[in-house]
mmCIF file of all heavy atoms in Angstrom:
data_model
loop_
_atom_site.group_PDB
_atom_site.id
_atom_site.type_symbol
_atom_site.label_atom_id
_atom_site.label_comp_id
_atom_site.label_asym_id
_atom_site.label_seq_id
_atom_site.Cartn_x
_atom_site.Cartn_y
_atom_site.Cartn_z
ATOM 1 N N ALA A 188 -1.866 46.897 15.047
ATOM 2 C CA ALA A 188 -0.400 46.744 14.913
ATOM 3 C C ALA A 188 0.331 47.842 15.682
ATOM 4 O O ALA A 188 1.388 47.613 16.276
ATOM 5 C CB ALA A 188 -0.005 46.777 13.442
ATOM 6 N N ASN A 189 -0.249 49.057 15.677
ATOM 7 C CA ASN A 189 0.487 50.166 16.316
ATOM 8 C C ASN A 189 0.384 50.133 17.840
ATOM 9 O O ASN A 189 0.919 51.003 18.521
ATOM 10 C CB ASN A 189 0.007 51.515 15.752
ATOM 11 C CG ASN A 189 -1.464 51.794 16.061
ATOM 12 O OD1 ASN A 189 -2.123 51.041 16.757
ATOM 13 N ND2 ASN A 189 -1.965 52.880 15.512
ATOM 14 N N GLN A 190 -0.287 49.120 18.399
ATOM 15 C CA GLN A 190 -0.348 48.984 19.867
ATOM 16 C C GLN A 190 0.875 48.236 20.419
ATOM 17 O O GLN A 190 1.235 48.419 21.586
ATOM 18 C CB GLN A 190 -1.615 48.205 20.272
ATOM 19 C CG GLN A 190 -2.901 48.870 19.830
ATOM 20 C CD GLN A 190 -3.014 50.292 20.371
ATOM 21 O OE1 GLN A 190 -3.001 50.513 21.592
ATOM 22 N NE2 GLN A 190 -3.050 51.277 19.482
ATOM 23 N N PHE A 191 1.501 47.414 19.582
ATOM 24 C CA PHE A 191 2.579 46.559 20.118
ATOM 25 C C PHE A 191 3.804 47.355 20.591
ATOM 26 O O PHE A 191 4.369 47.041 21.640
ATOM 27 C CB PHE A 191 2.919 45.465 19.098
ATOM 28 C CG PHE A 191 1.752 44.543 18.841
ATOM 29 C CD1 PHE A 191 1.146 44.477 17.597
ATOM 30 C CD2 PHE A 191 1.200 43.800 19.884
ATOM 31 C CE1 PHE A 191 0.031 43.669 17.380
ATOM 32 C CE2 PHE A 191 0.081 42.992 19.682
ATOM 33 C CZ PHE A 191 -0.509 42.938 18.426
ATOM 34 N N PRO A 192 4.184 48.428 19.889
ATOM 35 C CA PRO A 192 5.294 49.238 20.440
ATOM 36 C C PRO A 192 4.947 49.805 21.824
ATOM 37 O O PRO A 192 5.795 49.880 22.717
ATOM 38 C CB PRO A 192 5.445 50.373 19.410
ATOM 39 C CG PRO A 192 4.850 49.853 18.142
ATOM 40 C CD PRO A 192 3.739 48.938 18.569
ATOM 41 N N LEU A 193 3.672 50.130 22.025
ATOM 42 C CA LEU A 193 3.254 50.710 23.324
ATOM 43 C C LEU A 193 3.248 49.640 24.404
ATOM 44 O O LEU A 193 3.660 49.873 25.540
ATOM 45 C CB LEU A 193 1.871 51.368 23.183
ATOM 46 C CG LEU A 193 1.799 52.527 22.175
ATOM 47 C CD1 LEU A 193 0.379 53.072 22.080
ATOM 48 C CD2 LEU A 193 2.782 53.633 22.529
ATOM 49 N N ILE A 194 2.811 48.424 24.045
ATOM 50 C CA ILE A 194 2.836 47.302 25.018
ATOM 51 C C ILE A 194 4.278 47.068 25.469
ATOM 52 O O ILE A 194 4.570 46.925 26.658
ATOM 53 C CB ILE A 194 2.238 46.020 24.397
ATOM 54 C CG1 ILE A 194 0.738 46.194 24.150
ATOM 55 C CG2 ILE A 194 2.511 44.808 25.278
ATOM 56 C CD1 ILE A 194 0.106 45.055 23.369
ATOM 57 N N ALA A 195 5.195 47.060 24.486
ATOM 58 C CA ALA A 195 6.620 46.839 24.816
ATOM 59 C C ALA A 195 7.112 47.941 25.751
ATOM 60 O O ALA A 195 7.720 47.683 26.793
ATOM 61 C CB ALA A 195 7.442 46.806 23.536
ATOM 62 N N LYS A 196 6.793 49.164 25.397
ATOM 63 C CA LYS A 196 7.245 50.333 26.179
ATOM 64 C C LYS A 196 6.703 50.232 27.612
ATOM 65 O O LYS A 196 7.424 50.420 28.577
ATOM 66 C CB LYS A 196 6.731 51.592 25.468
ATOM 67 C CG LYS A 196 7.265 52.882 25.993
ATOM 68 C CD LYS A 196 8.621 53.232 25.396
ATOM 69 C CE LYS A 196 9.177 54.430 26.150
ATOM 70 N NZ LYS A 196 10.602 54.310 26.448
ATOM 71 N N GLN A 197 5.395 49.872 27.712
ATOM 72 C CA GLN A 197 4.771 49.765 29.049
ATOM 73 C C GLN A 197 5.431 48.665 29.884
ATOM 74 O O GLN A 197 5.417 48.690 31.097
ATOM 75 C CB GLN A 197 3.263 49.471 28.905
ATOM 76 C CG GLN A 197 2.424 50.713 28.647
ATOM 77 C CD GLN A 197 1.156 50.404 27.849
ATOM 78 O OE1 GLN A 197 0.786 49.246 27.693
ATOM 79 N NE2 GLN A 197 0.507 51.438 27.345
ATOM 80 N N ASN A 198 6.032 47.692 29.191
ATOM 81 C CA ASN A 198 6.709 46.599 29.920
ATOM 82 C C ASN A 198 8.210 46.854 30.067
ATOM 83 O O ASN A 198 8.972 45.921 30.249
ATOM 84 C CB ASN A 198 6.443 45.267 29.196
ATOM 85 C CG ASN A 198 5.030 44.754 29.503
ATOM 86 O OD1 ASN A 198 4.813 44.055 30.491
ATOM 87 N ND2 ASN A 198 4.063 45.162 28.694
ATOM 88 N N GLY A 199 8.595 48.115 29.896
ATOM 89 C CA GLY A 199 9.972 48.493 30.218
ATOM 90 C C GLY A 199 10.962 48.410 29.080
ATOM 91 O O GLY A 199 12.162 48.567 29.291
ATOM 92 N N ALA A 200 10.461 48.153 27.856
ATOM 93 C CA ALA A 200 11.401 48.038 26.730
ATOM 94 C C ALA A 200 11.851 49.417 26.257
ATOM 95 O O ALA A 200 11.144 50.408 26.421
ATOM 96 C CB ALA A 200 10.717 47.322 25.560
ATOM 97 N N LYS A 201 13.056 49.440 25.648
ATOM 98 C CA LYS A 201 13.479 50.622 24.896
ATOM 99 C C LYS A 201 12.781 50.537 23.538
ATOM 100 O O LYS A 201 12.705 49.462 22.946
ATOM 101 C CB LYS A 201 14.996 50.592 24.659
ATOM 102 C CG LYS A 201 15.845 51.022 25.848
ATOM 103 C CD LYS A 201 17.261 51.325 25.338
ATOM 104 C CE LYS A 201 18.214 51.598 26.482
ATOM 105 N NZ LYS A 201 18.507 50.355 27.284
ATOM 106 N N LEU A 202 12.274 51.668 23.055
ATOM 107 C CA LEU A 202 11.577 51.708 21.762
ATOM 108 C C LEU A 202 12.420 52.495 20.757
ATOM 109 O O LEU A 202 12.778 53.647 21.022
ATOM 110 C CB LEU A 202 10.192 52.358 21.916
ATOM 111 C CG LEU A 202 9.374 52.564 20.634
ATOM 112 C CD1 LEU A 202 9.133 51.242 19.905
ATOM 113 C CD2 LEU A 202 8.041 53.248 20.967
ATOM 114 N N VAL A 203 12.743 51.837 19.627
ATOM 115 C CA VAL A 203 13.500 52.485 18.559
ATOM 116 C C VAL A 203 12.657 52.473 17.294
ATOM 117 O O VAL A 203 12.083 51.447 16.941
ATOM 118 C CB VAL A 203 14.820 51.737 18.299
ATOM 119 C CG1 VAL A 203 15.570 52.349 17.118
ATOM 120 C CG2 VAL A 203 15.701 51.753 19.552
ATOM 121 N N ILE A 204 12.551 53.620 16.619
ATOM 122 C CA ILE A 204 11.765 53.711 15.375
ATOM 123 C C ILE A 204 12.678 54.190 14.254
ATOM 124 O O ILE A 204 13.284 55.267 14.351
ATOM 125 C CB ILE A 204 10.573 54.691 15.526
ATOM 126 C CG1 ILE A 204 9.611 54.198 16.622
ATOM 127 C CG2 ILE A 204 9.846 54.876 14.186
ATOM 128 C CD1 ILE A 204 8.446 55.153 16.920
ATOM 129 N N ILE A 205 12.820 53.327 13.234
ATOM 130 C CA ILE A 205 13.595 53.720 12.041
ATOM 131 C C ILE A 205 12.587 53.836 10.908
ATOM 132 O O ILE A 205 12.005 52.837 10.471
ATOM 133 C CB ILE A 205 14.675 52.675 11.697
ATOM 134 C CG1 ILE A 205 15.628 52.490 12.891
ATOM 135 C CG2 ILE A 205 15.451 53.108 10.449
ATOM 136 C CD1 ILE A 205 16.694 51.421 12.690
ATOM 137 N N ASN A 206 12.345 55.052 10.442
ATOM 138 C CA ASN A 206 11.308 55.298 9.447
ATOM 139 C C ASN A 206 11.629 56.585 8.692
ATOM 140 O O ASN A 206 11.961 57.605 9.313
ATOM 141 C CB ASN A 206 9.937 55.426 10.127
ATOM 142 C CG ASN A 206 8.805 55.208 9.129
ATOM 143 O OD1 ASN A 206 8.646 54.111 8.594
ATOM 144 N ND2 ASN A 206 8.068 56.274 8.850
ATOM 145 N N MET A 207 11.514 56.535 7.372
ATOM 146 C CA MET A 207 11.875 57.705 6.553
ATOM 147 C C MET A 207 11.161 58.964 7.049
ATOM 148 O O MET A 207 11.762 60.008 7.207
ATOM 149 C CB MET A 207 11.500 57.397 5.100
ATOM 150 C CG MET A 207 12.056 58.328 4.061
ATOM 151 S SD MET A 207 13.842 58.247 3.967
ATOM 152 C CE MET A 207 14.073 56.759 3.016
ATOM 153 N N GLU A 208 9.868 58.826 7.298
ATOM 154 C CA GLU A 208 9.057 59.988 7.705
ATOM 155 C C GLU A 208 8.636 59.845 9.165
ATOM 156 O O GLU A 208 8.716 58.751 9.730
ATOM 157 C CB GLU A 208 7.809 60.049 6.803
ATOM 158 C CG GLU A 208 8.135 60.306 5.333
ATOM 159 C CD GLU A 208 6.914 60.060 4.430
ATOM 160 O OE1 GLU A 208 5.839 60.605 4.753
ATOM 161 O OE2 GLU A 208 7.048 59.327 3.448
ATOM 162 N N PRO A 209 8.171 60.949 9.777
ATOM 163 C CA PRO A 209 7.693 60.871 11.167
ATOM 164 C C PRO A 209 6.557 59.850 11.300
ATOM 165 O O PRO A 209 5.812 59.614 10.339
ATOM 166 C CB PRO A 209 7.186 62.293 11.441
ATOM 167 C CG PRO A 209 7.901 63.163 10.467
ATOM 168 C CD PRO A 209 8.120 62.313 9.238
ATOM 169 N N THR A 210 6.442 59.226 12.470
ATOM 170 C CA THR A 210 5.345 58.277 12.707
ATOM 171 C C THR A 210 4.501 58.780 13.869
ATOM 172 O O THR A 210 4.870 59.718 14.576
ATOM 173 C CB THR A 210 5.881 56.883 13.100
ATOM 174 O OG1 THR A 210 6.235 56.912 14.509
ATOM 175 C CG2 THR A 210 7.086 56.480 12.273
ATOM 176 N N GLU A 211 3.380 58.099 14.094
ATOM 177 C CA GLU A 211 2.432 58.522 15.135
ATOM 178 C C GLU A 211 2.950 58.218 16.543
ATOM 179 O O GLU A 211 2.355 58.653 17.514
ATOM 180 C CB GLU A 211 1.081 57.837 14.897
ATOM 181 C CG GLU A 211 0.499 58.227 13.545
ATOM 182 C CD GLU A 211 -0.983 57.915 13.405
ATOM 183 O OE1 GLU A 211 -1.634 57.595 14.409
ATOM 184 O OE2 GLU A 211 -1.468 57.989 12.270
ATOM 185 N N LEU A 212 4.026 57.446 16.637
ATOM 186 C CA LEU A 212 4.504 57.086 17.981
ATOM 187 C C LEU A 212 5.911 57.621 18.275
ATOM 188 O O LEU A 212 6.534 57.223 19.262
ATOM 189 C CB LEU A 212 4.475 55.561 18.174
ATOM 190 C CG LEU A 212 3.118 54.877 18.030
ATOM 191 C CD1 LEU A 212 3.230 53.401 18.388
ATOM 192 C CD2 LEU A 212 2.058 55.539 18.923
ATOM 193 N N ASP A 213 6.390 58.513 17.416
ATOM 194 C CA ASP A 213 7.754 59.039 17.629
ATOM 195 C C ASP A 213 7.946 59.577 19.047
ATOM 196 O O ASP A 213 8.998 59.409 19.663
ATOM 197 C CB ASP A 213 8.045 60.168 16.620
ATOM 198 C CG ASP A 213 8.341 59.630 15.218
ATOM 199 O OD1 ASP A 213 8.417 58.389 15.067
ATOM 200 O OD2 ASP A 213 8.482 60.438 14.294
ATOM 201 N N LEU A 214 6.888 60.221 19.592
ATOM 202 C CA LEU A 214 7.067 60.874 20.904
ATOM 203 C C LEU A 214 7.330 59.853 22.014
ATOM 204 O O LEU A 214 7.866 60.193 23.072
ATOM 205 C CB LEU A 214 5.871 61.738 21.260
ATOM 206 C CG LEU A 214 4.523 61.083 21.531
ATOM 207 C CD1 LEU A 214 3.630 62.064 22.300
ATOM 208 C CD2 LEU A 214 3.833 60.678 20.248
ATOM 209 N N TYR A 215 6.981 58.574 21.777
ATOM 210 C CA TYR A 215 7.208 57.555 22.825
ATOM 211 C C TYR A 215 8.573 56.892 22.673
ATOM 212 O O TYR A 215 8.968 56.083 23.511
ATOM 213 C CB TYR A 215 6.137 56.460 22.717
ATOM 214 C CG TYR A 215 4.724 56.955 22.940
ATOM 215 C CD1 TYR A 215 3.889 57.219 21.865
ATOM 216 C CD2 TYR A 215 4.245 57.213 24.222
ATOM 217 C CE1 TYR A 215 2.585 57.686 22.051
ATOM 218 C CE2 TYR A 215 2.952 57.682 24.429
ATOM 219 C CZ TYR A 215 2.129 57.918 23.334
ATOM 220 O OH TYR A 215 0.847 58.380 23.516
ATOM 221 N N ALA A 216 9.277 57.185 21.576
ATOM 222 C CA ALA A 216 10.487 56.411 21.266
ATOM 223 C C ALA A 216 11.704 56.906 22.047
ATOM 224 O O ALA A 216 11.821 58.095 22.342
ATOM 225 C CB ALA A 216 10.772 56.492 19.777
ATOM 226 N N ASP A 217 12.605 55.964 22.363
ATOM 227 C CA ASP A 217 13.871 56.335 22.998
ATOM 228 C C ASP A 217 14.877 56.793 21.947
ATOM 229 O O ASP A 217 15.824 57.498 22.217
ATOM 230 C CB ASP A 217 14.443 55.122 23.766
ATOM 231 C CG ASP A 217 13.509 54.713 24.893
ATOM 232 O OD1 ASP A 217 13.571 55.366 25.943
ATOM 233 O OD2 ASP A 217 12.680 53.809 24.681
ATOM 234 N N LEU A 218 14.670 56.301 20.719
ATOM 235 C CA LEU A 218 15.535 56.707 19.598
ATOM 236 C C LEU A 218 14.697 56.688 18.322
ATOM 237 O O LEU A 218 13.976 55.716 18.078
ATOM 238 C CB LEU A 218 16.723 55.732 19.460
ATOM 239 C CG LEU A 218 17.628 55.915 18.234
ATOM 240 C CD1 LEU A 218 18.376 57.248 18.302
ATOM 241 C CD2 LEU A 218 18.626 54.749 18.115
ATOM 242 N N VAL A 219 14.801 57.767 17.534
ATOM 243 C CA VAL A 219 14.090 57.845 16.246
ATOM 244 C C VAL A 219 15.123 58.150 15.165
ATOM 245 O O VAL A 219 15.970 59.023 15.353
ATOM 246 C CB VAL A 219 13.027 58.978 16.273
ATOM 247 C CG1 VAL A 219 12.415 59.162 14.892
ATOM 248 C CG2 VAL A 219 11.941 58.648 17.288
ATOM 249 N N ILE A 220 15.071 57.391 14.056
ATOM 250 C CA ILE A 220 15.957 57.687 12.918
ATOM 251 C C ILE A 220 15.069 57.928 11.702
ATOM 252 O O ILE A 220 14.388 57.008 11.222
ATOM 253 C CB ILE A 220 16.928 56.511 12.646
ATOM 254 C CG1 ILE A 220 17.825 56.256 13.879
ATOM 255 C CG2 ILE A 220 17.787 56.805 11.418
ATOM 256 C CD1 ILE A 220 18.746 55.043 13.744
ATOM 257 N N HIS A 221 15.009 59.201 11.240
ATOM 258 C CA HIS A 221 14.243 59.546 10.037
ATOM 259 C C HIS A 221 15.208 59.773 8.878
ATOM 260 O O HIS A 221 16.421 59.849 9.061
ATOM 261 C CB HIS A 221 13.433 60.833 10.286
ATOM 262 C CG HIS A 221 12.290 60.646 11.231
ATOM 263 N ND1 HIS A 221 11.582 59.476 11.312
ATOM 264 C CD2 HIS A 221 11.725 61.474 12.130
ATOM 265 C CE1 HIS A 221 10.626 59.611 12.230
ATOM 266 N NE2 HIS A 221 10.688 60.810 12.743
ATOM 267 N N ASP A 222 14.630 59.876 7.681
ATOM 268 C CA ASP A 222 15.391 60.271 6.484
ATOM 269 C C ASP A 222 16.560 59.349 6.156
ATOM 270 O O ASP A 222 17.517 59.765 5.522
ATOM 271 C CB ASP A 222 15.920 61.726 6.636
ATOM 272 C CG ASP A 222 14.774 62.704 6.905
ATOM 273 O OD1 ASP A 222 13.725 62.562 6.235
ATOM 274 O OD2 ASP A 222 14.906 63.529 7.824
ATOM 275 N N ARG A 223 16.462 58.098 6.588
ATOM 276 C CA ARG A 223 17.504 57.125 6.241
ATOM 277 C C ARG A 223 16.811 55.886 5.687
ATOM 278 O O ARG A 223 15.710 55.515 6.133
ATOM 279 C CB ARG A 223 18.307 56.710 7.484
ATOM 280 C CG ARG A 223 19.134 57.773 8.138
ATOM 281 C CD ARG A 223 20.358 58.189 7.350
ATOM 282 N NE ARG A 223 21.146 57.083 6.764
ATOM 283 C CZ ARG A 223 22.030 56.339 7.447
ATOM 284 N NH1 ARG A 223 22.208 56.566 8.734
ATOM 285 N NH2 ARG A 223 22.711 55.380 6.851
ATOM 286 N N LYS A 224 17.429 55.200 4.719
ATOM 287 C CA LYS A 224 16.864 53.951 4.200
ATOM 288 C C LYS A 224 17.176 52.818 5.174
ATOM 289 O O LYS A 224 18.318 52.671 5.618
ATOM 290 C CB LYS A 224 17.461 53.633 2.826
ATOM 291 C CG LYS A 224 16.899 54.501 1.719
ATOM 292 C CD LYS A 224 17.329 53.972 0.361
ATOM 293 C CE LYS A 224 16.500 54.620 -0.729
ATOM 294 N NZ LYS A 224 16.763 53.974 -2.038
ATOM 295 N N ILE A 225 16.177 51.999 5.435
ATOM 296 C CA ILE A 225 16.334 50.905 6.404
ATOM 297 C C ILE A 225 17.493 49.990 6.021
ATOM 298 O O ILE A 225 18.323 49.633 6.853
ATOM 299 C CB ILE A 225 15.022 50.096 6.495
ATOM 300 C CG1 ILE A 225 13.950 50.913 7.216
ATOM 301 C CG2 ILE A 225 15.239 48.766 7.215
ATOM 302 C CD1 ILE A 225 12.560 50.370 7.043
ATOM 303 N N GLY A 226 17.567 49.648 4.720
ATOM 304 C CA GLY A 226 18.627 48.722 4.270
ATOM 305 C C GLY A 226 20.008 49.243 4.641
ATOM 306 O O GLY A 226 20.862 48.504 5.146
ATOM 307 N N GLU A 227 20.206 50.560 4.463
ATOM 308 C CA GLU A 227 21.530 51.153 4.759
ATOM 309 C C GLU A 227 21.787 51.177 6.266
ATOM 310 O O GLU A 227 22.868 50.847 6.737
ATOM 311 C CB GLU A 227 21.597 52.572 4.184
ATOM 312 C CG GLU A 227 21.739 52.592 2.663
ATOM 313 C CD GLU A 227 21.377 53.951 2.084
ATOM 314 O OE1 GLU A 227 21.344 54.950 2.853
ATOM 315 O OE2 GLU A 227 21.111 54.014 0.873
ATOM 316 N N VAL A 228 20.742 51.558 7.035
ATOM 317 C CA VAL A 228 20.925 51.648 8.497
ATOM 318 C C VAL A 228 21.259 50.263 9.063
ATOM 319 O O VAL A 228 22.193 50.118 9.855
ATOM 320 C CB VAL A 228 19.653 52.217 9.159
ATOM 321 C CG1 VAL A 228 19.790 52.192 10.676
ATOM 322 C CG2 VAL A 228 19.379 53.637 8.683
ATOM 323 N N LEU A 229 20.524 49.244 8.627
ATOM 324 C CA LEU A 229 20.779 47.891 9.146
ATOM 325 C C LEU A 229 22.184 47.427 8.762
ATOM 326 O O LEU A 229 22.890 46.807 9.556
ATOM 327 C CB LEU A 229 19.722 46.907 8.636
ATOM 328 C CG LEU A 229 18.298 47.126 9.141
ATOM 329 C CD1 LEU A 229 17.356 46.059 8.599
ATOM 330 C CD2 LEU A 229 18.239 47.133 10.665
ATOM 331 N N LYS A 230 22.617 47.793 7.546
ATOM 332 C CA LYS A 230 23.954 47.391 7.092
ATOM 333 C C LYS A 230 25.023 48.044 7.978
ATOM 334 O O LYS A 230 25.985 47.408 8.405
ATOM 335 C CB LYS A 230 24.138 47.829 5.634
ATOM 336 C CG LYS A 230 25.260 47.103 4.897
ATOM 337 C CD LYS A 230 25.191 47.435 3.401
ATOM 338 C CE LYS A 230 26.557 47.303 2.738
ATOM 339 N NZ LYS A 230 26.592 47.998 1.438
ATOM 340 N N GLU A 231 24.799 49.323 8.315
ATOM 341 C CA GLU A 231 25.764 50.035 9.180
ATOM 342 C C GLU A 231 25.825 49.387 10.561
ATOM 343 O O GLU A 231 26.896 49.143 11.109
ATOM 344 C CB GLU A 231 25.334 51.495 9.344
ATOM 345 C CG GLU A 231 25.907 52.430 8.288
ATOM 346 C CD GLU A 231 25.255 53.806 8.388
ATOM 347 O OE1 GLU A 231 24.867 54.199 9.506
ATOM 348 O OE2 GLU A 231 25.142 54.465 7.343
ATOM 349 N N ILE A 232 24.653 49.074 11.119
ATOM 350 C CA ILE A 232 24.629 48.480 12.465
ATOM 351 C C ILE A 232 25.309 47.108 12.438
ATOM 352 O O ILE A 232 25.998 46.694 13.355
ATOM 353 C CB ILE A 232 23.174 48.317 12.957
ATOM 354 C CG1 ILE A 232 22.464 49.657 13.033
ATOM 355 C CG2 ILE A 232 23.139 47.640 14.333
ATOM 356 C CD1 ILE A 232 20.963 49.528 13.258
ATOM 357 N N ASP A 233 25.124 46.415 11.307
ATOM 358 C CA ASP A 233 25.607 45.029 11.232
ATOM 359 C C ASP A 233 27.115 44.936 11.119
ATOM 360 O O ASP A 233 27.715 43.900 11.332
ATOM 361 C CB ASP A 233 24.967 44.348 9.999
ATOM 362 C CG ASP A 233 25.263 42.851 9.984
ATOM 363 O OD1 ASP A 233 25.152 42.252 11.063
ATOM 364 O OD2 ASP A 233 25.658 42.323 8.925
#
Side-chain angles (χ1 to χ4, degrees):
N189 63 4
Q190 300 303 301
F191 297 115
L193 299 178
I194 292 172
K196 189 84 189 138
Q197 278 152 13
N198 283 273
K201 281 196 187 70
L202 176 58
V203 176
I204 298 176
I205 302 177
N206 199 65
M207 193 65 79
E208 296 168 50
T210 80
E211 299 196 12
L212 300 186
D213 284 355
L214 67 161
Y215 298 100
D217 297 279
L218 173 66
V219 173
I220 299 176
H221 289 327
D222 304 317
R223 294 289 316 280
K224 285 190 166 188
I225 288 165
E227 286 162 18
V228 175
L229 293 182
K230 199 170 154 197
E231 270 171 30
I232 299 169
D233 189 43

